[in-house]
Structure formats: C-alpha cells, structure tokens
Amino acid sequence: MHEREFEHRYHQLQKSITASDDLKSATRMLMREAAASPAPDASAHASEGAREKQPAPRRMKRAGLAVAACVIALLLAFGTLPAVLSGNSPAEPQFAVKAYADALDEVIEPNDAGLVVFPYDTKIGFQDTSAEGTEEGTYTGALFTVEGESITRVQATLSEGELYRYSFDRFTLGDEPEKARELLSWKPTKRGTGTYYADYDYVISAAVDDDLSHADPDKQMQARLIKRLGPTVDLAVSDSEPLYLGLWLDEASAGAGGMFDVSALEGATLTVTAQFDDGTFQTQTIDLHVGWFACERAAFDEGSAADLVPVGEPLDEAVLSEGADACRTLYGITSGIANTPHPYPLDTANEHAGAPVDALPLESVLSYRGTLEPADYTAGDGQVRAAGEHVDIALAESLSGAGEAQPLEVGLISAETLSTLPASYDLRASTQVAGMGGDLDYFNVCRRVTHGFTVGEDGSLSEEFSYVVVRLDVTNASGEATSIVAQDLGAPCALGPQGVTFSSCGLFAASGWEGCEGDNTWQTIPLPAHETRSLELVYIVDDKLFEAGELALSCPAGGLEQDLAQVQFLKMR
Amino acid sequence: MSLPRKNRIDLDDVEAALERWGDTVYRLAVCRLRNRADAQDAFQDVFLALVRTRPAFSSREHQKAWLLRTCCNCCNDIARKRMRHAAEALDDLDVIDPAAEHVSDPALTRALEALTDRQRTAVHLRYFEGYSAEEIARITGEKPATVRSHLFRARNTLKIKLTSGEELPCMSENSNTATTSCKRA
C-alpha cells in the first residue's frame, strides 16, 4: 500500500471516531465541578512552573489552518530607541536588518508602524537530533538579512543561542540530473557525503510550483541549505549571494511550548556589524523581546504556513479583545547604532563552519532484520501447486488494493537462481537502487545494516546470497481494470519439513509493464480487465533459504504478517 | 517575566477547548488504548487536567499539542492500571471490534492492531494530525529518533510504501524532504 493511500484510508477511518455528546456533556459537568472546587495541590501539577513563565491563555481565532503550528514573527523596529555605543556620536543607520519571509521569497519592508514584519514559515522551523540522538536544538525559522550599499562583510553575534546560514540552490532538472538525485535523496544519515551538498547540516528539497511533472527536464529544482555557524558569524557578502541568517536555540533554551516557542530569546541581543568597501564599519544592536501582537490573516496560498502576520506594535495582553486574532511573537528594537567595528571577538566566528554536524547513524533508524523468517506453519496439500500450475489469489487483505479484492490468476512460467543481475536490468534505474536516487553506495550501506548483503557495480552479490528470477503470467480475472503492486504478488520461500521459511530480503527488481498506459513505476503495474501480463520479478535471497526446503513462491507475498492458510504456494522446480 | 495568575478558571476557554479538540483527544485515546471505556476515562482526565492546571498557551496549536501530550500521559496511567488488573479486566474490556459494522475499514483496523501502542500513536499523530517526528516526540515525550523508529517499524508492518517511491527505511528519517513547497522558483 502506498503512503498516500494509507493516509486516505486512515483519515476515513478516523473521521468515524468522535466523542459522543453524552461524553462531552458529562465532561463539562465534571469540569464545572472542578472549577468550583478549591485550587488543587500545586504538587499535583508539574506544569505549575511553566505556567509562571507564560502569559495566561488568550482566545484566538485560528480556524482552517492548513498547517498545525503557531506563527512567530520577528519584528525589528528601527530608530525607535536609538542609543549611543562606546562613546561615539549617534550615527545614522547605513544598513538595515530586515526579516526574510521564506514563504514569499521576499524581504519584508517596514510597515506603517515602523516595524518590519516577518511572516514565519513554520515549515522551515524544525528540531535537530544529534548523531547520538540525544542533543537537540531548534532551527527557529526566524530569518533575517542585511541590506545596505557597499557592504563587503557582515559580522553578527547572538547572545542566546547561535546563528545559522540559510541559502538556496536553484537549478533545472535537465541541466543537473545528478545534483537533483543527490538533493532528492538527501537525509541526515547521508550528511557530509555527496558531491554537491556535503557541507550542509540540513538540505531541504522544495517542490517549485511550475506545473511540470517531476520528470520534466525543465522542472525547476530548489534546495534550501542550512549550516549552523555559531554564536558569532563573520561572512563575506556579495550581490550574487544574498546573506540570510537564522536564529538557533539549543535544547536547554528551547521553550516548553514546542519548537516554535522562542521565549528563550526574550532579553537576548542581536549585534550586527556591516563592513563597507571603504574599510569603515557600522554596528547595530537589536534587543529581542517576546510579546503579543494583533494579527492579520496572511493572503498567502494554502501551501504556506505563514498564516497570521503580526501588525502594529506590541500590545499589553490585557487590551487584546476577546476572540481577536492575536499571536505571541518575537520582535526586535534597535537600541544602538555606532560606526564601530564588531564588539565581540571574531577569532571564534563561524566555529561550526568547517564541517557539518555528524551524520545520524544508520543504526538509529535501521536495524538488522535477518534474512529468513521461519514460520511455525506447514502448508496443506491444497495450498501447494506444482511448477507450471496456476493459482487464484486476491490482494485486498494484504492491503495492496484500494479496498476491493483484486482477483488475480497467477501462473509461474519459470524460475532460476543466478549469482549476478540479469543484463536487462540497469542497476541504478530499474531496481530498488533507483528508489534511493540511484545511489548504489547508500543502498549498500543500508542493506549491509538491514540484511547483511551488498550489490556490486556489476550486479554481483555478496557471498552466500543469490538472485532468484521468477517469470509469471498474471491475469486480471475481474471485469474492471486494476493495478497491482509487483512486490505483493509473491515472495520466495522454502517448504521444508519444519514448515515454511520466508525470505525477508524483498523484491529487488521487476519488469513487464512495457506497453501499459498510465503513469507507471517499476513496482506498480496497471492491468486492464481480463488482460494477462508477463512479469519478471527479481529477488535477492540468502542461500540458506535453499537448504530450508523446496523453493516456492508464496502468493500473495506477506510472509508472517498474513493468514498463512490463505496463501498459495507455487513450487519453483 | 511572570504574569499574575488568574483567580478563576475561565470556563468559556476550557469548554471551547473541549468543543474544538474533543474529538482530537478522543481519537488519540481510542488509538492508544483500543478500548472505549478507557478512552472515555482518558478523555475526561485530560479536560479535568486542563481545568486544574490552567496552562498558558501561546496559540491554539500550542493548546492542542498540550492536550495531546496530556492525553498520552493519561493513557499511560490507564494502561498501567490496566496491566495491574489485567486478569480481572480481560473479560470486561470493551475492545473495539474491527468486524463491527461501525468500523469503516475493518481490514485496516485489523492491520493497525498489529502495531504496538506507541507505534499506533506515532502513526496517528503523523498521518491524521500531520505532525512531524520532532513534534510527535514533543507530544509523546520520546526522542525524535525513537518516534522515527516507531514510524519505520509501523510502515514496515503495514507494508506502506512511501509515496515518493523511495526506499522506506532510509527515507523515514528526513521529515523535511519533499514536504515543502514554494510559490516561485
């Protein structure tokens, strides 16, 4: 079953589950009684301390949001509280620190109240897990840039947390297919590897809404690139590469309210220095605060999470009208401007720039599964067919179909065991490796962990593993067109005196959809009513399977997870 | 900065939360406990906790996340009690029967039964509530890597192939990939 189909079916299933009116009424009564009773013992409520740190609840209208997240905006006020730094005369601002709205791909100009409003795209705020899976931090998604004439370098220091660089890489699929593959297959376990994105902590692929299919050579690709740099950064800037910096919080500083709680930045200072091409400097100090703001609904499309935009100036919570749109956000006030160099040491600037954080170890997400699954089950005589016979199966119970049973007739034409992949298969394009962006090295790293085998460039296999190539005829026995998932059709197994032993290595390649209409993949095969397709399925199996009994194909596939009494076994020899 | 605490519970707020998130909380309780009576107990415990603890929320989503987190805790408490009284309670459990008429997808319901409570919770929060692994971890009190492991094993058990077509186990840890969109190139 594909993920999207599962999601749809799960939604349908869950929508039928609701709390009854009786339950709600009874609960309301209990709540009223509890509210009328004396305050409970504080020791009974662990959240007491957290309550002290945050404002009281405020009703806010936030209906119909596509993305579940609160909105944070970074507001920077310029000139409202100018001050003198280091004994210099008050200086006129020669550059501006402006928030960057990723959802709009635009720098936001100040509003009528003199504030720069930064709609916050919650999709680019996320939490990080260290290589050990223990230390976490939060990339808040609150981004800013520096604008001014003749700036050659920017230095910045955040007093709480750290700064990360946020940049883009945009290209056309047809121009750089290898880069596209690396982008689409990037993951924290591959951090530090690859040709194009090895230097980044996070690489996020974003689909550009250009109405082109994912395979169209003109498809525009976009990589969002993130590199945490440290509390202080010192970076060259140029017109060709705009500088965007984000605010990062470590685990200890991350708010109790989740990844978008930036309470820890209340009272923090962001110090930004611009160095100009004539060798002069200007430093601006921005005090960061968290406060309540009235909000307007953003006119962004539904794909954006920037749903509420703070407007005006910070408000006393008490004056917020009941039911009004409001949000608790981060904002900044420029408290000092001086024509001086950066006041903090730069010798430790960009301290994390040299290398990405450690890759997430595969073992944290993968584990050895074994290659054989012995079942305490012996196939009955009625379940076993000789090579060349046909069996009737239905795939609905294996969750492969769209809810309706798919009556299929399966006949095994031939089967053979090989030590190398049939020449008709392109290792990187028509096998499981294609599902990993054609990255054979990464495929092998994963398979070594999960099953203990690797595949060579020439298709050769690790010792003690073999390919089993099965050729089948599959007939759609129903009067309606259907589509079948190749790997659900069957799986190698051994019928032995101790019972059935299944192979757990899975389907490695399949072919046979040539000539079918529709958008096919190597796994999904459309099958018109009453039509027969000849398919070739290639499995990788542990050689120990051959010693466990007579080789057979269990139809449908499913191993121990299905009702074995419903399985048909087609002997391969 | 500490703010003065309200002296009285604002029942309007709490009852509005019940209306807004009641079904959300109940679904998670059913998902976690697979037993209606226990789920109803958990439901009431969650909203009573809301009345008694008066947490402050920065947004409705924050409120929702708090309710779901509290629901997980209440379910854990109930599950522990259930374990203690397992022998006497087995016959009385109002176990949700996937074959019953009101279950719209018995096959899927049966498949979900094969998951552990924590795997089912992760699947629910991911596929129905739309949370990322990191957000789920906040709600369930687990490490994100643990949540990813739950999701990975659940997908494996349910034979879910990721929509992107990419290999399952190695895709699962990158919740950021292919989920974003932008308006222009």
Side-chain angles (χ1 to χ4, degrees):
Chain A
M1 178 167 52
H2 283 275
E3 188 179 35
R4 201 168 295 153
E5 180 201 338
F6 171 77
E7 193 167 13
H8 173 74
R9 288 174 65 180
Y10 191 78
H11 267 254
Q12 295 302 314
L13 180 66
Q14 288 297 317
K15 279 198 289 190
S16 65
I17 299 173
T18 56
S20 68
D21 290 340
D22 287 347
L23 176 61
K24 289 179 180 175
S25 296
T27 307
R28 257 186 228 103
M29 292 292 290
L30 286 171
M31 291 195 304
R32 286 170 188 159
E33 289 174 15
S37 63
D41 180 2
S43 64
H45 304 295
S47 61
E48 194 78 8
R51 185 194 318 153
E52 297 287 341
K53 296 178 183 174
Q54 298 195 9
R58 171 67 56 183
R59 293 180 68 186
M60 292 177 283
K61 292 192 298 184
R62 286 195 60 197
L65 301 182
V67 176
C70 75
V71 176
I72 296 170
L74 175 60
L75 299 143
L76 300 179
F78 297 100
T80 54
L81 289 172
V84 179
L85 286 178
S86 310
N88 290 286
S89 300
E92 289 295 317
Q94 297 178 44
F95 69 92
V97 176
K98 295 183 178 180
Y100 173 72
D102 182 79
L104 296 174
D105 189 16
E106 287 177 1
V107 172
I108 303 301
E109 296 300 323
N111 65 12
D112 293 342
L115 301 174
V116 177
V117 180
F118 290 70
Y120 178 89
D121 187 340
T122 52
K123 287 181 179 177
I124 59 168
F126 61 93
Q127 289 179 315
D128 179 37
T129 303
S130 74
E132 293 77 28
T134 53
E135 182 187 341
E136 296 169 26
T138 296
Y139 294 83
T140 64
L143 303 170
F144 67 91
T145 188
V146 177
E147 286 191 352
E149 296 292 327
S150 306
I151 297 175
T152 57
R153 295 193 76 80
V154 166
Q155 291 118 21
T157 296
L158 183 64
S159 63
E160 296 289 335
E162 297 186 11
L163 296 164
Y164 62 92
R165 183 162 191 169
Y166 184 80
S167 55
F168 303 96
D169 184 21
R170 291 167 175 147
F171 59 95
T172 302
L173 175 61
D175 292 343
E176 298 184 86
E178 289 299 321
K179 183 189 277 190
R181 259 194 287 276
E182 184 173 325
L183 168 61
L184 293 173
S185 63
W186 192 94
K187 45 188 67 70
T189 48
K190 296 174 77 171
R191 190 183 285 137
T193 67
T195 305
Y196 304 96
Y197 302 121
D199 297 333
Y200 298 95
D201 295 338
Y202 273 91
V203 177
I204 304 170
S205 64
V208 177
D209 186 15
D210 54 11
D211 295 328
L212 297 177
S213 82
H214 292 292
D216 193 311
D218 292 329
K219 180 73 180 173
Q220 295 298 302
M221 308 295 294
Q222 181 181 167
R224 294 169 173 175
L225 307 169
I226 289 170
K227 181 73 196 80
R228 183 156 63 96
L229 297 175
T232 295
V233 302
D234 179 11
L235 300 163
V237 295
S238 67
D239 292 339
S240 61
E241 190 175 12
L243 176 66
Y244 302 108
L245 294 169
L247 311 183
W248 180 88
L249 293 170
D250 63 19
E251 182 181 23
S253 301
M259 69 177 70
F260 304 113
D261 184 351
V262 288
S263 302
L265 289 169
E266 168 64 42
T269 302
L270 176 64
T271 305
V272 182
T273 300
Q275 182 175 347
F276 302 95
D277 59 5
D278 61 0
T280 60
F281 299 89
Q282 183 170 85
T283 296
Q284 297 186 8
T285 304
I286 298 160
D287 296 336
L288 299 174
H289 300 282
V290 179
W292 284 97
F293 287 80
C295 289
E296 290 179 349
R297 287 175 186 274
F300 303 151
D301 63 3
E302 290 187 357
S304 165
D307 32 41
L308 290 176
V309 176
V311 294
E313 296 182 56
L315 300 172
D316 186 330
E317 188 204 357
V319 307
L320 291 175
S321 57
E322 192 75 11
D325 287 330
C327 57
R328 191 165 178 266
T329 70
L330 183 72
Y331 66 99
I333 298 173
T334 304
S335 60
I337 303 175
N339 295 329
T340 57
H342 197 64
Y344 297 97
L346 295 174
D347 53 346
T348 57
N350 312 332
E351 64 181 270
H352 305 311
V357 298
D358 291 342
L360 201 64
L362 273 173
E363 289 73 11
S364 69
V365 291
L366 299 177
S367 57
Y368 182 67
R369 301 182 212 166
T371 56
L372 300 177
E373 291 182 332
D376 185 18
Y377 181 84
T378 301
D381 291 341
Q383 290 179 264
V384 183
R385 296 283 187 276
E389 291 188 37
H390 283 73
V391 296
D392 297 324
I393 62 170
L395 293 182
E397 288 302 308
S398 70
L399 298 176
S400 298
E404 298 295 326
Q406 301 174 46
L408 302 171
E409 187 180 274
V410 178
L412 190 146
I413 306 302
S414 68
E416 60 182 326
T417 303
L418 301 173
S419 59
T420 190
L421 188 67
S424 56
Y425 287 89
D426 178 345
L427 192 56
R428 287 185 167 77
S430 59
T431 67
Q432 271 192 5
V433 182
M436 293 187 174
D439 187 340
L440 180 61
D441 290 342
Y442 192 66
F443 173 87
N444 280 331
V445 169
C446 293
R447 283 295 160 272
R448 191 179 293 117
V449 172
T450 59
H451 293 97
F453 70 79
T454 58
V455 178
E457 288 280 353
D458 57 355
S460 59
L461 275 171
S462 302
E463 287 188 13
E464 301 182 354
F465 285 87
S466 300
Y467 293 103
V468 171
V469 183
V470 177
R471 294 177 185 85
L472 297 171
D473 273 350
V474 181
T475 301
N476 179 1
S478 76
E480 295 181 5
T482 186
S483 62
I484 54 177
V485 177
Q487 67 193 64
D488 285 346
L489 279 174
C493 66
L495 305 176
Q498 304 302 318
V500 182
T501 299
F502 292 94
S503 168
S504 64
C505 299
L507 183 66
F508 183 64
S511 65
W513 62 92
E514 295 84 356
C516 295
E517 294 179 358
D519 184 15
N520 311 315
T521 69
W522 70 272
Q523 292 178 315
T524 305
I525 301 164
L527 196 56
H530 306 300
E531 191 158 313
T532 299
R533 287 276 167 200
S534 293
L535 307 177
E536 186 174 83
L537 309 179
V538 181
Y539 303 89
I540 294 174
V541 301
D542 188 321
D543 288 348
K544 287 194 284 291
L545 186 72
F546 306 135
E547 301 162 7
E550 287 186 276
L551 201 59
L553 190 72
S554 64
C555 302
L560 302 182
E561 294 164 8
Q562 67 186 105
D563 181 357
L564 295 179
Q566 303 299 316
V567 176
Q568 298 290 308
F569 297 92
L570 276 170
K571 287 186 178 179
M572 293 192 190
R573 300 182 178 111
Chain B
M1 179 178 65
S2 64
L3 295 169
R5 191 185 309 168
K6 288 185 177 179
N7 293 325
R8 292 181 64 250
I9 294 293
D10 184 342
L11 265 178
D12 284 346
D13 282 352
V14 177
E15 293 193 11
L18 187 146
E19 283 304 316
R20 189 176 302 118
W21 304 122
D23 288 346
T24 302
V25 169
Y26 185 67
R27 286 187 187 108
L28 179 61
V30 169
C31 160
R32 184 90 175 196
L33 296 166
R34 314 301 293 168
N35 173 282
R36 273 192 202 82
D38 284 349
Q40 289 168 359
D41 285 349
F43 179 91
Q44 295 195 331
D45 289 348
V46 169
F47 286 100
L48 285 174
L50 181 63
V51 172
R52 289 169 177 155
T53 59
R54 293 179 286 168
F57 301 114
S58 57
S59 68
R60 284 189 179 174
E61 286 301 328
H62 182 193
Q63 183 184 55
K64 177 184 176 185
W66 185 92
L67 289 167
L68 291 174
R69 172 71 189 262
T70 304
C71 183
C72 285
N73 292 339
C74 291
C75 289
N76 289 342
D77 291 343
I78 289 171
R80 277 193 288 272
K81 289 176 190 169
R82 184 197 284 175
M83 288 291 288
R84 283 198 291 270
H85 301 97
E88 64 190 74
L90 271 178
D91 291 341
D92 299 328
L93 281 178
D94 178 22
V95 176
I96 294 173
D97 178 10
E101 289 181 1
H102 59 266
V103 176
S104 60
D105 194 336
L108 181 59
T109 305
R110 268 195 296 274
L112 291 166
E113 292 287 346
L115 306 183
T116 66
D117 290 350
R118 292 183 189 280
Q119 288 171 356
R120 222 166 26 238
T121 301
V123 164
H124 180 80
L125 294 174
R126 172 75 170 197
Y127 288 103
F128 191 75
E129 300 296 348
Y131 287 115
S132 68
E134 287 75 14
E135 291 167 323
I136 294 170
R138 284 276 182 193
I139 290 170
T140 60
E142 298 168 298
K143 293 290 181 191
T146 306
V147 172
R148 291 187 192 100
S149 173
H150 291 331
L151 289 170
F152 163 63
R153 292 178 193 282
R155 289 182 189 125
N156 234 7
T157 300
L158 296 171
K159 293 185 171 299
I160 296 172
K161 289 181 279 291
L162 294 184
T163 301
S164 67
E166 187 166 350
E167 173 67 11
L168 178 67
C170 303
M171 181 74 175
S172 59
E173 71 267 31
N174 183 12
S175 61
N176 301 300
T177 299
T179 59
T180 56
S181 62
C182 58
K183 289 187 72 175
R184 63 188 75 173

